Amino acid sequence: MKKIISMLMAVSLSMMVFAGCSSEPNEETPNTPDDPGVETPEEEPVELKKLSIAYMPNYASLNTVVAGMRMGYFEEQGFDIELVEFADGPTIIAAMESGSIDLGYIGPGAHKLAIEGRTKIFAISHFGNADEVIANTDKGIKTIEDLKGKTIAMASGTTSEMILDMTLKDAGLTKDDVVIMDMDPSAIVTAMISGSVDAAATWSPNTFTIKEDMGDKAMMLTNNATYVETLPSIASWIVNPGYAEENADTVLKFTKALYKAMDYRTENVEEVCKWVAEEAKLDEASVLDQRGDGEWITSEWLKESLDNGRLVSVYQAQQDNFIESGAVETEAPVKDYVMLDNMQEAFE
């Protein structure tokens, strides 16, 4: 009898062991990725769309886009940003027409090319205060009237031409009353410091370099603030019309990232100055000097200005000045070259 009981216990134990080895996992305790021996599938990396972004080597041009890059706002929208340096706005627009640049930044002067239909404005950047007409006092210039008959350096189609036009007009002069030297922006600095020109119309950081080198001989005659009521100095983000039509979603997403970056740069100026210096390999102290080169607007201001019509008004005022000066011959509705719908939709 004892032998039979022992045999039954052995069989029962064997069945329990077999059941434990072969049973399916209990629904209440499923295998999880943390269980030993369970492989966790790796997530596929998100492929970012590369965008070539044109800029000029100064704080005004770079602060928003660099803030967006460092804070990851463009990556959130699926973009990998490649910055490409240019000397001025017209050159940026030409590069867009060739297809080598996707999106870019322009100062006030190049906006006349937007009015003429060569580019579209998809977002406002800020109101500038970086442009000056600087005179060499050793050349007998103390007032704007003293510019008559003098040789003046500028870069045509840029902000420097606009500020010079307004200055000459205030003095009762035209370009026929002076000698204009149309130069590359970098050459303006050399020409002014060497004394080969009597005055120059240019923007920062050129203005800082000229004044630092020339000392008391460099005299600012006018700047953007001189004409703030009559000549809004608008800087904007632009795109080729064909690219805008074919890549509307890309432009919209980039604009959304810009809005976030716009607010961050306004609240963290010194930090963004450091980032700009690192990104563009500029001297940090010189970048800090450029903090006053603009009125750094916020997304809240922009939303209000879109809703109450102020944004259209400032672009119209800018166009009116171009037409009055003869820089633009034919008037164009603001909505034809400023992508107001894109700006509005980026808030939704």
Side-chain angles (χ1 to χ4, degrees), residues 34-345:
D34 294 330
D35 289 337
V38 178
E39 293 186 5
T40 304
E42 293 185 6
E43 291 186 10
E44 289 291 327
V46 177
E47 186 174 352
L48 300 177
K49 179 177 181 178
K50 177 164 278 191
L51 292 180
S52 296
I53 307 300
Y55 75 95
M56 288 172 271
N58 54 51
Y59 178 75
S61 175
L62 278 167
N63 60 44
T64 312
V65 69
V66 167
M69 291 167 65
R70 292 297 182 99
M71 293 303 296
Y73 299 147
F74 295 112
E75 190 173 347
E76 288 174 2
Q77 296 294 336
F79 301 133
D80 175 20
I81 302 300
E82 177 189 25
L83 294 175
V84 184
E85 182 180 329
F86 288 84
D88 54 62
T91 310
I92 289 173
I93 292 171
M96 286 184 174
E97 290 171 338
S98 73
S100 62
I101 292 295
D102 299 315
L103 307 168
Y105 164 99
I106 57 171
H111 281 64
K112 71 178 185 179
L113 301 178
I115 299 168
E116 293 170 351
R118 286 184 57 187
T119 191
K120 281 187 176 289
I121 295 163
F122 69 86
I124 188 171
S125 175
H126 62 273
F127 293 97
N129 191 34
D131 310 299
E132 298 180 13
V133 173
I134 302 175
N136 184 339
T137 57
D138 278 359
K139 300 298 183 81
I141 306 172
K142 300 292 177 63
T143 68
I144 57 176
E145 288 78 15
D146 294 333
L147 290 172
K148 185 174 182 178
K150 301 299 184 181
T151 300
I152 307 173
M154 71 163 202
S156 63
T158 68
T159 318
S160 66
E161 185 173 21
M162 291 181 66
I163 194 80
L164 180 59
D165 285 342
M166 292 298 293
T167 303
L168 292 174
K169 181 181 177 183
D170 265 5
L173 304 172
T174 69
K175 286 177 180 172
D176 292 333
D177 297 312
V178 298
V179 178
I180 297 294
M181 296 290 289
D182 194 353
M183 296 182 171
D184 180 88
S186 60
I188 291 176
V189 176
T190 303
M192 191 65 184
I193 293 173
S194 68
S196 59
V197 297
D198 306 318
T202 189
W203 56 87
S204 70
N206 291 353
T207 51
F208 294 112
T209 304
I210 291 170
K211 288 186 283 189
E212 182 179 358
D213 192 280
M214 294 181 63
D216 293 340
K217 292 192 297 182
M219 178 183 182
M220 186 195 78
L221 298 175
T222 57
N223 65 2
N224 298 111
T226 310
Y227 306 111
V228 67
E229 297 299 327
T230 55
L231 182 66
S233 184
I234 310 170
S236 301
W237 288 92
I238 59 166
V239 60
N240 183 268
Y243 185 97
E245 186 175 345
E246 296 173 8
N247 301 274
D249 190 52
T250 294
V251 177
L252 179 62
K253 288 179 177 179
F254 188 89
T255 307
K256 289 182 177 182
L258 274 182
Y259 287 173
K260 295 179 73 172
M262 185 184 294
D263 290 337
Y264 189 88
R265 65 100 195 264
T266 304
E267 298 170 2
N268 303 275
V269 178
E270 291 191 5
E271 181 181 29
V272 174
C273 282
K274 181 179 179 180
W275 291 345
V276 168
E278 292 172 351
E279 198 72 41
K281 296 179 174 55
L282 299 171
D283 177 66
E284 188 175 340
S286 70
V287 175
L288 284 165
D289 285 341
Q290 298 170 37
R291 288 173 295 176
D293 284 355
E295 179 185 341
W296 313 114
I297 64 177
T298 63
S299 62
E300 181 181 2
W301 179 93
L302 178 54
K303 182 69 170 67
E304 290 176 0
S305 297
L306 281 165
D307 293 341
N308 63 26
R310 183 184 176 190
L311 193 69
V312 173
S313 296
V314 295
Y315 276 110
Q316 184 62 58
Q318 182 188 53
Q319 181 183 163
D320 292 343
N321 279 289
F322 277 126
I323 292 174
E324 185 179 347
S325 69
V328 172
E329 295 181 359
T330 305
E331 184 176 359
V334 170
K335 63 180 179 60
D336 285 1
Y337 63 93
V338 180
M339 298 169 61
L340 300 167
D341 289 345
N342 176 74
M343 294 192 212
Q344 193 71 262
E345 191 177 347

